[in-house]
């Protein structure tokens, strides 16, 4: 391997790197080390970190690296070859690190009482804060010319990051009783809270979150459809008022029962109507149906107590007396009609009166004409 007397790394065009190991370990006493802005270099000899260099140009000799003289055997002086490793660190802040919850947080919305699958997405900035801690705790040994990217580092922290975010969101929705539809107004405070909680985890490995943003907290469209239906019903309630809304809902459920194989009970179940509300609505509908039946059908008064009974009653519902209407036949067409009928509903013939020789109408059952007094 060729002896190197100048060590430099220009970085990547994408800037998506955090550690780079210089490909050669064959250096010479007096080699120039050039560290660019936004970089730091770590000098390692025999697996031990000897020194850390910030931006600038350095000569690897006893002046800039005093420990080198005690490590390297220099019997001839001058540009004596020796073996060592140089690692470049990207210490510039990377702001475009994106994150998201891999699986949703399942919570019950405290305002609409529906199960939601809440997801969160955002962006963060990250930088190396403690070079030696980062290098010794997280990186360790890597191969020559190998580049460690930010994505690889974020893979280490993805689990703890997502866990903290999910816990914070769930606590706010459940403990603070804030609906998922209204949580957008608290994104700033949630972001600050999340940054504080994850900073301690990153700090253990020499990293520091510069900023942390939650860009959106949302849930699938199918979850929103259920809430949207609740909002629609609530709007109708507000516009129509209590009594009209309940009446409308009762007829909606009753109409659905006509096309439901399991009848009214099935309509309540399929319509997600609670047991208490369902029984109340059912009672109101039953009352309405009974009332409508009385209106649509004729009634018959009891001759004993004058109670209104359904037209097909044979005995009074109040006192038990017979209430069946006496029948008679029309003399013209033979149709059976109520005994008190004056005209036949089938042919129209007069059946309730007799005609006197004087031409006067005599009520059926009369023996004398009320007009001329003749016996009829």
């Amino acid at each position: 391997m060729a002896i190197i007397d100048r060590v430099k790394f220009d970085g990547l065009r994408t800037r998506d790197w955090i550690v780079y190991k210089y490909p050669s370990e064959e250096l010479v006493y007096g080699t120039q080390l050039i560290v660019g802005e936004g970089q730091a270099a770590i000098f390692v000899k025999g697996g031990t970190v000897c020194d850390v260099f910030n931006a600038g140009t350095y000569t690897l000799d006893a002046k800039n690296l005093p420990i080198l003289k005690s490590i390297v055997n220099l019997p001839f002086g001058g540009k004596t070859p020796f073996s060592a490793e140089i690692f470049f660190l990207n210490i510039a802040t990377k702001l475009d690190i994106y994150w998201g919850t891999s699986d949703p947080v399942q919570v019950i919305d405290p305002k609409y009482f529906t199960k939601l699958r809440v997801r969160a997405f955002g962006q963060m900035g990250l930088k190396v804060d403690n070079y030696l801690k980062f290098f010794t705790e997280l990186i360790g040994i890597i191969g020559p010319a190998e580049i460690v990217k930010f994505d690889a580092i974020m893979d280490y922290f993805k689990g703890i990051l997502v866990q903290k975010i999910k816990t914070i969101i769930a606590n706010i929705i459940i403990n603070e009783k804030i609906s998922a539809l209204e949580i957008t107004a608290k994104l700033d405070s949630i972001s600050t809270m999340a940054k504080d909680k994850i900073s301690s985890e990153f700090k253990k490995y020499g990293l520091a979150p510069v900023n942390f943003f939650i860009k959106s907290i949302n849930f699938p469209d199918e979850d929103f459809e259920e809430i949207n239906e609740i909002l629609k019903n609530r709007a109708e309630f507000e516009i129509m008022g209590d009594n009209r809304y309940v009446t409308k809902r009762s007829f909606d459920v009753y109409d659905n029962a006509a096309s439901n194989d399991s009848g009214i009970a099935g309509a309540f179940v399929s319509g997600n109507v609670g047991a208490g509300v369902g029984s109340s609505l059912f009672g109101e509908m039953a009352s309405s149906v009974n009332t409508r039946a009385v209106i649509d059908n004729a009634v018959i008064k009891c001759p004993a107590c004058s109670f209104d009974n359904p037209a097909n009653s044979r005995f009074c519902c109040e006192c038990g007396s017979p209430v069946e209407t006496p029948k008679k036949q029309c003399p013209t067409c033979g149709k059976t009609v109520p005994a008190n009928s004056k005209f036949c509903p089938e042919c129209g013939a007069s059946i309730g009166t007799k005609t006197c020789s004087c031409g006067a109408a005599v009520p059926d059952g009369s023996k004398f004409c009320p007009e001329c007094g003749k016996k009829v």
Side-chain angles (χ1 to χ4, degrees):
M1 182 178 292
I3 295 177
I4 305 299
D5 59 3
R6 183 173 179 272
V7 177
K8 181 182 179 183
F9 177 56
D10 294 328
L12 300 179
R13 182 176 298 178
T14 60
R15 300 181 63 189
D16 186 23
W17 69 281
I18 193 167
V19 179
Y20 171 76
K21 181 181 180 182
Y22 195 75
S24 176
E25 298 179 7
E26 296 299 320
L27 306 175
V28 294
Y29 191 75
T31 294
Q32 277 200 328
L33 172 64
I34 302 174
V35 183
E37 289 291 344
Q39 294 181 350
I42 295 180
F43 186 90
V44 178
K45 175 63 179 174
T48 303
V49 175
C50 297
D51 208 344
V52 178
F53 301 89
N54 291 313
T57 301
Y58 305 88
T59 301
L60 300 182
D61 56 20
K63 179 180 179 182
N64 286 325
L65 193 61
I67 196 173
L68 184 62
K69 188 172 183 179
S70 62
I71 294 178
V72 180
N73 186 12
L74 303 175
F76 305 106
K79 291 192 174 183
T80 305
F82 64 93
S83 177
E85 298 172 301
I86 295 180
F87 294 85
F88 287 88
L89 303 183
N90 182 2
I91 61 173
T93 301
K94 184 171 176 60
L95 297 174
D96 56 346
I97 298 177
Y98 298 95
W99 60 267
T101 52
S102 54
D103 56 315
V105 185
Q106 297 195 21
V107 295
I108 301 297
D109 190 275
K111 187 173 183 179
Y112 301 102
F113 303 102
T114 58
K115 185 174 75 172
L116 299 177
R117 293 166 292 174
V118 181
R119 301 171 297 190
F121 302 91
Q123 181 178 349
M124 68 179 295
L126 191 66
K127 68 175 296 183
V128 178
D129 184 54
N130 188 318
Y131 313 150
L132 290 179
K133 182 179 287 188
F134 171 75
F135 183 79
T136 56
E137 295 290 337
L138 198 61
I139 300 302
I141 301 302
I142 62 176
E146 186 174 342
I147 295 177
V148 179
K149 295 186 176 182
F150 275 96
D151 290 343
I153 299 300
M154 287 306 299
D155 285 341
Y156 299 149
F157 295 97
K158 185 179 296 182
I160 188 67
L161 175 63
V162 171
Q163 178 189 358
K164 296 293 185 182
I165 295 298
K166 291 168 67 173
T167 302
I168 292 172
I169 293 175
N171 284 337
I172 289 177
I173 292 177
I174 297 173
N175 297 333
E176 298 186 21
K177 307 297 182 183
I178 296 178
S179 170
L181 289 182
E182 301 167 352
I183 202 171
T184 302
K186 297 182 70 67
L187 286 184
D188 286 344
S189 60
I190 296 176
S191 297
T192 302
M193 192 183 308
K195 180 186 175 185
D196 293 340
K197 286 186 175 294
I198 66 173
S199 292
S200 59
E201 295 296 328
F202 281 95
K203 189 175 182 180
K204 294 177 183 177
Y205 300 94
L207 293 167
V210 177
N211 51 44
F212 188 91
F213 301 108
I214 297 178
K215 301 176 70 174
S216 69
I217 297 177
N218 53 55
F219 41 88
D221 292 339
E222 52 267 29
D223 290 358
F224 181 73
E225 288 176 2
E226 188 172 350
I227 290 184
N228 197 39
E229 183 65 24
I230 296 174
L231 293 174
K232 178 182 176 182
N233 292 336
R234 179 173 294 181
E236 291 182 3
F237 181 88
E238 295 293 337
I239 295 173
M240 299 175 64
D242 190 357
N243 294 332
R244 291 185 180 181
Y245 178 78
V246 172
T247 302
K248 176 184 179 299
R249 290 292 295 150
S250 67
F251 283 114
D252 287 344
V253 174
Y254 190 71
D255 288 341
N256 290 336
S259 58
N260 194 310
D261 292 339
S262 54
I264 294 178
F268 279 121
V269 173
S270 62
N272 292 325
V273 178
V277 177
S279 61
S280 175
L281 292 179
F282 185 81
E284 292 179 9
M285 288 190 292
S287 176
S288 175
V289 171
N290 290 336
T291 302
R292 190 173 293 179
V294 173
I295 295 174
D296 293 342
N297 296 281
V299 296
I300 180 172
K301 285 185 176 294
C302 173
C305 66
S306 300
F307 182 78
D308 289 336
N309 295 280
N312 58 351
S313 300
R314 300 182 63 185
F315 296 91
C316 178
C317 298
E318 181 71 17
C319 66
S321 301
V323 295
E324 186 175 8
T325 306
K327 303 289 194 299
K328 65 181 179 180
Q329 286 188 332
C330 172
T332 303
C333 65
K335 175 74 174 178
T336 300
V337 297
N340 59 352
S341 298
K342 294 182 178 181
F343 295 92
C344 176
E346 184 71 22
C347 65
S350 176
I351 56 176
T353 60
K354 299 178 181 179
T355 303
C356 179
S357 59
C358 68
V362 181
D364 190 26
S366 299
K367 296 181 177 180
F368 296 92
C369 174
E371 185 69 26
C372 64
K374 287 184 178 181
K375 185 176 181 180
V376 294

Short mmCIF file of all heavy atoms in Angstrom, two decimals, residues 45 74 101 129 138 159 192 200 247 254 274 291 374:
data_model
loop_
_atom_site.label_atom_id
_atom_site.label_comp_id
_atom_site.label_asym_id
_atom_site.label_seq_id
_atom_site.Cartn_x
_atom_site.Cartn_y
_atom_site.Cartn_z
N LYS A 45 -4.86 5.04 16.96
CA LYS A 45 -3.65 4.23 16.82
C LYS A 45 -3.74 3.04 17.75
O LYS A 45 -3.97 3.20 18.96
CB LYS A 45 -2.41 5.07 17.16
CG LYS A 45 -1.10 4.28 17.17
CD LYS A 45 -0.76 3.71 15.80
CE LYS A 45 0.57 2.96 15.85
NZ LYS A 45 0.87 2.26 14.60
N LEU A 74 10.59 5.94 16.12
CA LEU A 74 11.21 6.82 15.12
C LEU A 74 12.74 6.68 15.14
O LEU A 74 13.45 7.56 15.61
CB LEU A 74 10.80 8.27 15.38
CG LEU A 74 9.29 8.56 15.40
CD1 LEU A 74 9.04 10.00 15.80
CD2 LEU A 74 8.68 8.26 14.05
N THR A 101 -44.65 7.19 12.36
CA THR A 101 -45.03 6.02 13.15
C THR A 101 -45.26 4.85 12.20
O THR A 101 -46.07 4.95 11.28
CB THR A 101 -46.30 6.29 13.97
OG1 THR A 101 -47.32 6.80 13.10
CG2 THR A 101 -46.02 7.32 15.05
N ASP A 129 -22.81 15.96 18.91
CA ASP A 129 -22.52 16.93 19.96
C ASP A 129 -21.26 16.57 20.74
O ASP A 129 -20.45 17.43 21.06
CB ASP A 129 -23.73 17.01 20.91
CG ASP A 129 -23.55 18.07 21.97
OD1 ASP A 129 -23.28 19.23 21.60
OD2 ASP A 129 -23.68 17.74 23.17
N LEU A 138 -21.30 4.40 19.75
CA LEU A 138 -22.22 4.04 18.68
C LEU A 138 -21.55 3.49 17.44
O LEU A 138 -22.07 2.59 16.79
CB LEU A 138 -23.08 5.26 18.31
CG LEU A 138 -24.36 4.97 17.52
CD1 LEU A 138 -25.28 4.08 18.33
CD2 LEU A 138 -25.06 6.27 17.17
N GLY A 159 -37.04 2.99 17.09
CA GLY A 159 -37.94 2.37 18.06
C GLY A 159 -38.25 3.28 19.23
O GLY A 159 -39.42 3.49 19.57
N THR A 192 -42.52 20.15 21.25
CA THR A 192 -41.58 20.53 22.31
C THR A 192 -41.46 19.43 23.35
O THR A 192 -40.35 19.09 23.81
CB THR A 192 -42.04 21.83 22.97
OG1 THR A 192 -42.13 22.86 21.98
CG2 THR A 192 -41.07 22.26 24.06
N SER A 200 -32.74 13.11 25.84
CA SER A 200 -31.94 12.36 26.81
C SER A 200 -31.45 11.04 26.21
O SER A 200 -30.35 10.58 26.53
CB SER A 200 -32.76 12.10 28.07
OG SER A 200 -33.94 11.38 27.77
N THR A 247 -88.09 12.52 16.45
CA THR A 247 -89.18 12.03 15.61
C THR A 247 -88.67 11.55 14.28
O THR A 247 -89.03 10.47 13.79
CB THR A 247 -90.23 13.14 15.40
OG1 THR A 247 -90.71 13.57 16.67
CG2 THR A 247 -91.39 12.62 14.56
N TYR A 254 -87.88 3.09 11.75
CA TYR A 254 -89.08 2.31 11.44
C TYR A 254 -89.15 1.99 9.96
O TYR A 254 -89.53 0.88 9.56
CB TYR A 254 -90.32 3.08 11.89
CG TYR A 254 -91.59 2.25 11.83
CD1 TYR A 254 -91.79 1.22 12.75
CD2 TYR A 254 -92.55 2.47 10.85
CE1 TYR A 254 -92.94 0.44 12.70
CE2 TYR A 254 -93.70 1.69 10.79
CZ TYR A 254 -93.89 0.67 11.72
OH TYR A 254 -95.01 -0.10 11.66
N GLY A 274 -78.88 2.53 20.82
CA GLY A 274 -78.69 1.94 22.14
C GLY A 274 -79.98 1.35 22.67
O GLY A 274 -81.08 1.68 22.22
N THR A 291 -102.25 4.92 17.65
CA THR A 291 -103.07 6.12 17.41
C THR A 291 -103.53 6.17 15.97
O THR A 291 -104.68 6.50 15.67
CB THR A 291 -102.26 7.37 17.74
OG1 THR A 291 -101.83 7.29 19.09
CG2 THR A 291 -103.10 8.62 17.53
N LYS A 374 -152.43 7.93 9.51
CA LYS A 374 -152.92 6.63 9.06
C LYS A 374 -152.04 5.51 9.60
O LYS A 374 -150.83 5.70 9.80
CB LYS A 374 -152.94 6.57 7.54
CG LYS A 374 -154.05 7.38 6.91
CD LYS A 374 -154.05 7.16 5.41
CE LYS A 374 -155.17 7.91 4.74
NZ LYS A 374 -155.19 7.68 3.27
#
